[in-house]
């Protein structure tokens, strides 16, 4: 059984509110025919409410790019899961490599955020992936395994249906270098095995595992056709409605 494909766009630190409004509107108009592919857009915090107003009556879901695990308090500059939920967001990206690299996120903080997201009804998109050095040292599977076990520590089996994993080799993010479909598939299949070991085969078989790293219309078909690749987390190519909707339409064809 092939799982239905989920395409998410990570806008990163792009788009003022008026630009976000325009992009969200364009994406909505270009995807009105989509029926089977789950679509998620993740604007910056400042644009969440504005974008929600545009997509609330469409099939597009809203996601955030990060959150803090505490409920509320003296944490200047932080945003809680409850606050995100109140904007209309259903999803939240957690542990993106840029957060791990520039903002000190670790497997422990990722795990705390995953738990807080789930408690507040948000679906986490958990990012994992190795650096180029780690791939060259042949330790990709160990590195990703540690990230997966860390993220899933003390997570209940029934919560697994609300979690998405995104495998994003760091050397492929924003670099124009894409993992080959075979390279990506190998790691995706390993992640599924790890999840089967941590939980069971049923949980592993239904888990959505997205690939991320320079996904664009030109390479989406070959990546999304792989057995264990169930979607894409798209950075650069999601900032233009044309390229993002092309990727979604490629997914929709494969979902048929
Ligand atoms: C990302 O940041 O999640 C990403 C995959 O970016 P890009 O598509 O630009 O490589």
């Amino acid at each position: 059984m092939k799982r239905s494909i989920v395409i998410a766009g990570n806008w990163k630190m792009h788009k003022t509110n008026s630009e976000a409004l325009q992009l969200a509107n364009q994406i909505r108009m270009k995807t009105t025919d989509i029926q089977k592919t789950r679509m998620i857009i993740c604007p910056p915090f400042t644009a969440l409410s504005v974008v929600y107003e545009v997509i609330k009556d469409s099939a597009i879901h809203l996601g955030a790019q990060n959150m803090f695990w505490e409920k509320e308090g003296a944490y200047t500059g932080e945003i809680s899961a409850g606050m995100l939920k109140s904007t209309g967001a259903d999803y939240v990206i957690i542990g993106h490599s840029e957060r791990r690299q520039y903002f000190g996120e670790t497997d422990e903080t990722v795990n705390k955020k995953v738990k807080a997201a789930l408690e507040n009804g948000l679906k986490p998109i958990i990012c994992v992936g190795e650096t180029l050095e780690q791939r060259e040292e042949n330790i990709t599977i160990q590195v990703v395994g540690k990230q997966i076990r860390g993220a899933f520590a003390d997570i209940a089996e029934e919560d697994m249906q609300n979690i998405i994993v995104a495998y994003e080799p760091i050397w492929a993010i924003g670099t124009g270098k894409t993992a080959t479909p075979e390279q990506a598939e190998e790691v995706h299949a390993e992640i599924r095995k790890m999840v089967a070991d941590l939980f069971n085969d049923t949980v592993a078989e239904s888990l959505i595992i997205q690939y991320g790293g320079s996904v664009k219309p030109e390479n989406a078909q070959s990546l999304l056709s792989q057995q264990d690749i169930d979607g894409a987390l798209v950075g650069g190519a999601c900032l233009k409605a044309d390229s993002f909707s092309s990727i979604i339409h490629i997914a929709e064809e494969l979902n048929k």
Side-chain angles (χ1 to χ4, degrees):
M1 182 217 54
K2 184 76 176 139
R3 295 152 290 270
S4 30
I5 299 175
V6 183
I7 305 292
N10 173 11
W11 293 14
K12 307 196 183 184
M13 198 174 75
H14 292 285
K15 307 294 173 190
T16 62
N17 278 1
S18 58
E19 292 164 346
L21 193 67
Q22 196 183 18
L23 178 59
N25 251 314
Q26 289 168 344
I27 294 171
R28 195 193 58 170
M29 286 185 313
K30 286 178 186 289
T31 55
T32 48
D33 56 329
I34 299 299
Q35 292 181 334
K36 300 203 165 146
T37 306
R38 210 184 319 163
M39 303 176 280
I40 308 166
I41 54 178
C42 306
F45 291 138
T46 44
L48 285 169
S49 296
V50 166
V51 168
Y52 181 68
E53 287 306 312
V54 176
I55 61 170
K56 66 181 177 194
D57 298 323
S58 76
I60 305 169
H61 296 268
L62 186 66
Q65 301 172 20
N66 179 35
M67 51 166 270
F68 190 44
W69 58 81
E70 292 291 347
K71 222 165 146 185
E72 60 182 7
Y75 304 105
T76 303
E78 291 295 331
I79 308 268
S80 73
M83 291 170 186
L84 293 181
K85 195 72 193 159
S86 76
T87 67
D90 287 329
Y91 291 85
V92 58
I93 298 171
I94 293 181
H96 190 280
S97 64
E98 287 152 16
R99 304 276 336 153
R100 294 181 192 251
Q101 189 179 348
Y102 305 130
F103 302 99
E105 298 207 5
T106 64
D107 295 336
E108 289 70 37
T109 61
V110 166
N111 180 244
K112 285 185 180 187
K113 291 182 179 195
V114 169
K115 287 176 182 160
L118 291 166
E119 277 163 22
N120 285 277
L122 284 173
K123 298 182 170 85
I125 300 175
I126 304 172
C127 301
V128 298
E130 81 288 1
T131 63
L132 185 59
E133 295 72 41
Q134 290 164 337
R135 175 157 283 265
E136 284 170 350
E137 278 177 55
N138 271 322
I139 55 169
T140 297
I141 302 305
Q142 288 95 306
V143 169
V144 170
K146 185 171 170 290
Q147 292 170 334
I148 289 285
R149 284 189 301 277
F152 288 155
D154 305 316
I155 298 298
E157 184 182 324
E158 61 265 27
D159 284 326
M160 288 301 290
Q161 60 190 340
N162 294 321
I163 292 179
I164 292 176
V165 169
Y167 167 59
E168 301 205 301
I170 295 169
W171 48 272
I173 296 180
T175 57
K177 285 187 200 154
T178 320
T180 63
E182 296 72 28
Q183 280 175 320
E185 169 61 20
E186 186 189 358
V187 182
H188 281 235
E190 286 293 336
I191 292 174
R192 211 174 292 290
K193 268 193 230 156
M194 292 167 196
V195 172
D197 286 346
L198 287 172
F199 296 92
N200 54 55
D201 286 348
T202 314
V203 167
E205 275 309 305
S206 48
L207 179 69
I208 299 292
I209 309 177
Q210 297 178 313
Y211 168 78
S214 302
V215 175
K216 37 189 183 268
E218 295 75 25
N219 58 25
Q221 160 114 31
S222 57
L223 287 159
L224 295 172
S225 310
Q226 299 295 310
Q227 179 64 31
D228 289 290
I229 301 185
D230 313 311
L233 180 53
V234 184
C238 81
L239 294 173
K240 293 260 178 332
D242 275 346
S243 45
F244 191 54
S245 71
S246 293
I247 295 170
I248 291 169
H249 281 94
I250 290 166
E252 184 76 356
E253 277 305 307
L254 290 167
N255 265 332
K256 281 183 182 157

